Amino acid sequence: MKNSYAPFIFISPAVFLMCILLIAPIVSVIFMSFTDYQLGNEEINFIGIQNYIQLFNDEVFFVSLKNTFLYALIVLPSSVFGGLFIALLIESKNTYKSFYRAVFFLPVMATLIAMSIVWEYILHPDIGILNKLLALFDVNGTNWLSNKDTVLYCLAVIGIWQQLGYNMVLFIAGIMAIPKSLYEAAKCDGISTMGSMRFITLPLLAPVFLFVLIISSIKAFQVFDTVYILTLGGPNHASEVLLFSIYQEAFMFFRTSYAAAISVIFLFFILLLTLVKIHFLDKKGV
């Protein structure tokens, strides 16, 4: 009888922490989205779906939603396929593998806030390296972070730069897990290097590729640091994304309940991506 309670006793600390740190905050945010609570107010009144009605009539929300999806559409394929290409290129060589791995992984290890400041100087309209390099070819640069036509693409480039190394390491791990005997057998059968990549490497990397795709999607939707440091959502909401909208509404405008409604929408998208991960990856034991 005592042994039957043992599993519940062992998992109880984890369940308790999950309820306190994960489930309770989510439930609180969902509840708050149906109220008129503002940060600092003592009164909380239930107003139903008024925050959601206001949300879907808010042009700024749809701009931030569009910017988030556009950012993800740029960063996702570039960082995933770029990471795969770099991993294949490094593993195809026999020398300096550790050096190249370290070089491409450095952006992942670096603090994104510090690197964002570096990028701010690189993209500076007057003293920035990018505009000075363009000037050598008689090309006029622009104020990259203050131009509504370029700002989101600049943030996407920074996101790709920061994500490439992480994806590269995951793909390298997948490549190293492929048995070498398969390549030796293919070589004995007269299959070329490109043939081995096509018929062995890429098919066996499919589960890793799907995992990297889902993880990169979630990370792309969670972009915040670079927007907050470099643009504050400007100019004219051209770089505003969902997480920055949540921060701005909650901690700058103190419209906490409205920010909670945006958070619920954001959590919905993250939940969809997580369900996709569970369906396609967990069933395969990845």
Side-chain angles (χ1 to χ4, degrees), residues 224-236:
F224 172 78
D225 305 65
T226 51
V227 175
Y228 177 74
I229 297 166
L230 297 177
T231 68
L232 289 175
N236 195 25

Side-chain angles (χ1 to χ4, degrees), residues 86-97 100-101:
I86 293 171
L88 291 173
L89 194 62
I90 291 175
E91 291 305 305
S92 66
K93 305 295 181 181
N94 294 322
T95 57
Y96 300 110
K97 285 186 179 182
Y100 289 119
R101 290 171 186 169

Side-chain angles (χ1 to χ4, degrees), residues 25-26 39 45 86 93 110 148 160 210 214 232 261 281:
I26 292 176
L39 191 64
N45 299 311
I86 293 171
K93 305 295 181 181
K148 66 178 182 179
I160 295 168
L210 188 57
I214 299 300
L232 289 175
L281 299 183

Side-chain angles (χ1 to χ4, degrees), residues 172-187 196 199-201 203-205:
I172 287 177
I175 293 171
M176 294 178 67
I178 299 175
K180 301 299 181 184
S181 57
L182 296 178
Y183 294 104
E184 294 172 359
K187 188 175 182 180
S196 297
F199 296 109
I200 299 175
T201 306
L204 293 179
L205 277 180

